[in-house]
Amino acid sequence: MKPPSFLNKIVNRNDAAARIAALPRPVVFTNGVFDVLHCGHATYLAQARQLGASLVVALNTDASARRLGKGPDRPLNPQDDRAVLMAALESSSLVTWFDEDTPLELIAELKPDVLVKGGDYDMDTLAETAVVKAYGGRALAIPFVEGYSTTALVKKIRAGTSAG
C-alpha cells in the first residue's frame, strides 16, 4: 500500500522556501503547537485558508513547544505526529517546523503574503507583523472558536470528565 499523498505536504525547513515558491498565491502563513487537534483548530485553519490560495502551517518543534510553559509533559503528541495530522487537513497546503521561540526568522525567510494568528494576539505589537508589512504583506488575527482549548481539554481528560 502506498503512503498517503498528504505526506507530501510535510517539508523540512531547509526546503520550505522552494516549496512555497511553487504554491498558488496568495500564501497564508500561520503557526502554533497544535498539540491535540480539536474543532477550534480545524475551524481556525479553514478560515485562515479562506484568506488565500494556499496555507502554510509552521509547527513549533517539541523543544520550542516545551519552552512555551504549557507544562513539562507538553506537547503530548511529538512533532512528527502533529505534522501528519496538519498535513491530513484539507485546509493545509504545506507543513513545516521552527525551533525558535517565535516564527519570526521563518516568516522572514518564507515571505508569506498574509500572516494569520489566533484572536488572542495584538497583531500591531508583534515583530512578525512588522516583518510582513515591510515587504508589503498583511497580518491579521482570526477570533478563536469559543469553548475550545487544548490546555482545557487536557485538564478534562486528566480529571476523567467528559471532554465533549
Side-chain angles (χ1 to χ4, degrees):
M1 194 173 249
K2 292 188 332 187
S5 61
F6 65 74
L7 293 176
N8 294 326
K9 294 181 188 179
I10 302 170
V11 60
N12 71 53
R13 182 171 175 163
N14 293 335
D15 298 329
R19 289 283 300 275
I20 287 172
L23 292 176
R25 307 287 300 195
V27 171
V28 178
F29 177 100
T30 195
N31 65 279
V33 177
F34 298 105
D35 188 8
V36 178
L37 201 58
H38 55 66
C39 178
H41 289 139
T43 301
Y44 166 79
L45 292 165
Q47 290 172 335
R49 174 63 181 264
Q50 291 172 13
L51 298 170
S54 303
L55 176 64
V56 174
V57 180
L59 297 173
N60 294 75
T61 61
D62 292 344
S64 174
R66 280 191 287 278
R67 291 193 302 270
L68 293 175
K70 295 182 181 225
D73 58 348
R74 298 278 305 275
L76 298 174
N77 288 302
Q79 63 195 39
D80 290 343
D81 291 357
R82 292 183 285 121
V84 168
L85 289 173
M86 281 293 116
L89 294 175
E90 180 182 12
S91 55
S92 69
S93 305
L94 198 72
V95 179
T96 192
W97 294 271
F98 64 99
D99 195 43
E100 301 83 7
D101 291 345
T102 73
L104 181 63
E105 292 177 32
L106 181 59
I107 290 167
E109 291 169 22
L110 303 181
K111 293 184 175 42
D113 303 297
V114 182
L115 168 65
V116 177
K117 302 287 276 181
D120 60 339
Y121 285 92
D122 179 355
M123 298 304 287
D124 293 332
T125 65
L126 291 178
E128 295 96 315
T129 295
V131 167
V132 171
K133 287 185 174 181
Y135 61 75
R138 298 185 305 139
L140 58 124
I142 294 177
F144 278 129
V145 178
E146 288 297 319
Y148 293 95
S149 156
T150 300
T151 300
L153 182 59
V154 169
K155 285 180 184 175
K156 283 182 182 180
I157 291 167
R158 288 186 173 144
T161 60
S162 171

